Amino acid sequence: EAEREASEREREAVAALASARAREESLAEQVARVDREALRRAVDDAQARLEGAPAPATKVDEAALDAARAAARAAQRVLDDAKEQLDRFQGHLEQSGGAQAVEREREARAALAIARAKEREIEVEYEGWRLLRDALRDAENAEGQHLGEVLAPRVKARFSDLLEAAGGDVERYAALALDAHLRTQGLVAFGDARGTEALSVGTREQLALLLRLSIAEVLGAPLVLDDHLTHTDRARAAWFRETLRAAAHETQLLVLTCHPEVYLDAGERPAERAWVDRAAGLLRAIDATRIIES
């Protein structure tokens, strides 16, 4: 066994020697073919060009090289971070899909169209109110009578009905005066002109509600009331319930209140549900505490 291994190594050594001699002969042939004189001239020419080259503007030492290498490494880190972020964004974009972006754009365009249509509706409504205002002004100028004088008899008639239904002195208040801006100038009571500040808080609230109701009826506009009868006794509250219900046949009324007993009878308030309809749909009562969450 040892003889076979020695013989194998000998054969390998002989083969390696033969390869080395062949390599040596090849290199010798290459050296023989080299034009040494041309190489010497090329070296001399390179040396001359090196000596003729301008001197560097700054001297580069090992510290400058270290700083340049550090700057290069920092720039490479920034580049790598930017590439990583770009790859991440591209991944998000591929996951989100272009179809979703197109759909969001379509939804945005639809919302914009709806907003523009709403804007046109508001402009038309505004123009209608402007024409109504101009018509009222023209009527006032033509008749020499302002809107306050037109509404005063209506308010006075209802106020008299209120006093009579509540057992009050109807003759106590003879006339109601409103200026051109629908401000209450006062009442004639027992033959004397009195300012509204002499009236009780409840009476002033009732007059204000009657005035608002009359304006809404004349203009054909809806009316929003926010607890205008908090200082009204039961007899007058009952009269207002009937009056508002009668007005609701022609004028839309929205009443916000924390005292539903003032505006609704016991059977008209929501019990099992958050809302209830009465009077063939003319009256809808909604308990907001069952709908609105804090």
Side-chain angles (χ1 to χ4, degrees):
E1 182 67 24
E3 291 179 359
R4 284 197 301 270
E5 291 181 356
S7 177
E8 182 67 24
R9 287 196 294 271
E10 181 180 3
R11 283 194 298 272
E12 292 176 353
V14 170
L17 178 61
S19 176
R21 287 176 177 174
R23 176 66 176 167
E24 179 182 7
E25 292 176 358
S26 175
L27 291 175
E29 292 177 358
Q30 293 178 10
V31 169
R33 289 195 298 270
V34 171
D35 187 351
R36 298 187 178 186
E37 186 64 27
L39 285 177
R40 187 178 296 107
R41 289 196 301 271
V43 170
D44 293 342
D45 183 60
Q47 184 67 34
R49 288 199 304 271
L50 178 63
E51 292 175 355
T58 58
K59 184 179 180 181
V60 178
D61 53 13
E62 192 63 29
L65 288 175
D66 291 340
R69 294 189 186 103
R73 288 193 296 271
Q76 185 63 43
R77 287 195 296 270
V78 172
L79 178 60
D80 293 341
D81 292 341
K83 289 181 178 179
E84 182 180 355
Q85 189 175 15
L86 177 61
D87 293 340
R88 186 167 59 253
F89 287 160
Q90 287 178 341
H92 292 332
L93 181 60
E94 292 175 358
Q95 292 177 1
S96 63
Q100 295 183 4
V102 172
E103 181 63 23
R104 287 195 296 270
E105 180 187 10
R106 186 182 298 110
E107 293 174 353
R109 291 183 180 276
L112 177 60
I114 293 173
R116 286 177 174 172
K118 184 63 176 178
E119 180 184 10
R120 288 192 294 271
E121 291 177 2
I122 294 175
E123 290 177 350
V124 171
E125 184 177 1
Y126 166 78
E127 184 64 19
W129 282 104
R130 188 185 66 80
L131 293 174
L132 177 60
R133 180 201 61 189
D134 295 342
L136 290 174
R137 287 180 176 175
D138 293 341
E140 290 175 2
N141 295 331
E143 298 179 7
Q145 188 180 35
H146 57 68
L147 188 57
E149 293 176 347
V150 174
L151 292 176
R154 181 190 294 260
V155 177
K156 171 60 171 57
R158 275 187 167 150
F159 189 52
S160 298
D161 290 343
L162 170 63
L163 295 177
E164 184 176 0
D169 189 354
V170 178
E171 299 301 328
R172 178 178 179 182
Y173 301 103
L176 172 67
L178 300 174
D179 64 13
H181 300 286
L182 302 182
R183 289 190 293 261
T184 304
Q185 293 179 315
L187 289 167
V188 177
F190 295 119
D192 296 328
R194 297 184 181 182
T196 55
E197 66 276 0
L199 302 175
S200 66
V201 174
T203 301
R204 291 201 296 270
E205 287 181 346
Q206 295 152 23
L207 277 173
L209 192 155
L210 292 176
L211 179 57
R212 288 180 172 88
L213 179 59
S214 298
I215 294 173
E217 289 174 335
V218 169
L219 297 180
L223 176 62
V224 179
L225 301 175
D226 187 1
D227 257 346
H228 282 72
L229 300 176
T230 55
H231 297 88
T232 299
D233 56 40
R234 292 184 178 180
R236 295 191 181 188
W239 181 89
F240 270 106
R241 282 199 294 272
E242 298 302 323
T243 300
L244 292 177
R245 194 158 308 174
H249 285 85
E250 303 294 337
T251 303
Q252 184 179 15
L253 302 176
L254 176 61
V255 180
L256 307 176
T257 180
C258 296
H259 306 281
E261 68 279 359
V262 176
Y263 302 91
L264 300 172
D265 294 329
E268 297 172 340
R269 303 170 205 165
E272 299 179 356
R273 296 184 301 176
W275 58 272
V276 63
D277 286 342
R278 290 290 184 268
L282 180 67
L283 169 66
R284 167 165 290 188
I286 301 175
D287 186 355
T289 61
R290 303 185 188 183
I291 301 175
I292 301 175
E293 297 181 359
S294 59

